[in-house]
Amino acid sequence: MEKGAVFPLFYLPNVEFFKTLKTYKEDDVLIEKLEHYPKQTFRNRAIIACPNGKLMLTVPVKKGDKKRVAYKDKRISNDDNWQHVHWLSLEASYRNSAYFEFYEDVFKPFYHKPYHFLFDFNIELLDVILSALKMPVTYNITSEYEKYGEEIIDFREDFDWRKPSEYVNKPYYQVFEDKIGAQNNLSIVDLLFNQGPQSKSFF
């Protein structure tokens, strides 16, 4: 394999994730599917801006597994109406943004159609976001879990929400900026809803 990178798959990834993905989009890009599902990561979390500051959206996952589960097999817990809550949060945060209505019909189905596996939900979202960004990326999904040599940059343990990132995105107008100040490196939907087709120029 030629040079490239292997990426984790997140829920509504942040701007830094897409900046990094853009850097490698001409190389071999792999999306990890078979890792043991790691807890407390962006794989089921996203951070948006709301009137009171940052808001973390978390996709609930099934608990009680007796052994470590592959990401591809990690089930979403639909006991609570989390999709409804997430969509209401997105509406409350971005209904007044310049491009929410432009993308509304693209994202809304993800919060009404039932999903059972987190990986399936996230990979479909990733494709929709890449299309919205007009950022074509040809990627392959891993068929086995492996350690890679120097020719493949491994980002699977990067983009940790618990660790401060040095990445700073280019400033752009945000709905609640006057109230809570500019928020850096939020979920890509914050950038999309505020800047629309120009989003890619901000990372």
Side-chain angles (χ1 to χ4, degrees):
M1 180 179 286
E2 298 179 357
K3 65 177 182 177
V6 57
F7 286 84
L9 180 63
F10 295 150
Y11 170 51
L12 301 177
N14 60 21
V15 177
E16 182 183 9
F17 176 91
F18 285 97
K19 166 66 175 177
T20 309
L21 188 60
K22 182 181 178 183
T23 302
Y24 289 91
K25 72 184 185 71
E26 302 300 330
D27 301 319
D28 287 316
V29 173
L30 296 170
I31 301 294
E32 180 58 62
K33 182 179 184 178
L34 295 169
E35 64 184 348
H36 286 139
Y37 177 76
K39 299 177 181 179
Q40 302 285 321
T41 72
F42 275 133
R43 286 161 183 80
N44 70 324
R45 300 161 194 268
I47 299 175
I48 63 173
C50 71
N52 296 318
K54 293 181 179 180
L55 175 65
M56 180 175 285
L57 302 177
T58 302
V59 179
V61 294
K62 293 279 188 180
K63 298 179 181 178
D65 296 313
K66 294 182 179 179
K67 59 182 179 179
R68 301 180 75 182
V69 175
Y71 187 0
K72 70 179 182 66
D73 296 323
K74 194 63 179 177
R75 289 180 173 271
I76 294 172
S77 174
N78 290 309
D79 295 337
D80 297 321
N81 199 1
W82 67 271
Q83 288 172 294
H84 178 68
V85 173
H86 283 209
W87 184 247
L88 287 181
S89 298
L90 290 170
E91 279 197 305
S93 296
Y94 299 111
R95 173 61 69 184
N96 294 326
S97 64
Y99 291 95
F100 181 83
E101 291 185 359
F102 186 79
Y103 295 112
E104 181 175 6
D105 290 341
V106 172
F107 286 97
K108 192 172 184 179
F110 288 94
Y111 300 94
H112 292 79
K113 171 186 171 181
Y115 284 86
H116 300 290
F117 292 94
L118 182 63
F119 186 91
D120 297 342
F121 178 68
N122 284 345
I123 201 70
E124 288 186 29
L125 264 175
L126 177 64
D127 289 340
V128 162
I129 294 169
L130 289 173
S131 177
L133 289 170
K134 293 180 169 37
M135 193 176 96
V137 175
T138 299
Y139 62 80
N140 291 303
I141 296 173
T142 57
S143 57
E144 61 181 332
Y145 184 83
E146 60 180 297
K147 294 183 178 180
Y148 297 95
E150 294 181 357
E151 73 280 1
I152 298 293
I153 306 300
D154 191 341
F155 291 108
R156 289 175 293 187
E157 296 185 12
D158 291 16
F159 316 105
D160 189 335
W161 64 270
R162 295 162 297 187
K163 299 176 182 178
S165 171
E166 296 181 357
Y167 175 75
V168 179
N169 56 244
K170 296 178 183 178
Y172 61 89
Y173 174 78
Q174 295 172 315
V175 177
F176 305 111
E177 185 174 344
D178 291 342
K179 183 178 180 180
I180 64 173
Q183 302 297 308
N184 180 59
N185 199 22
L186 297 173
S187 166
I188 193 67
V189 295
D190 186 88
L191 181 54
L192 274 172
F193 292 151
N194 283 300
Q195 295 299 323
Q198 296 81 35
S199 294
K200 196 167 57 172
S201 65
F202 287 88
F203 59 80

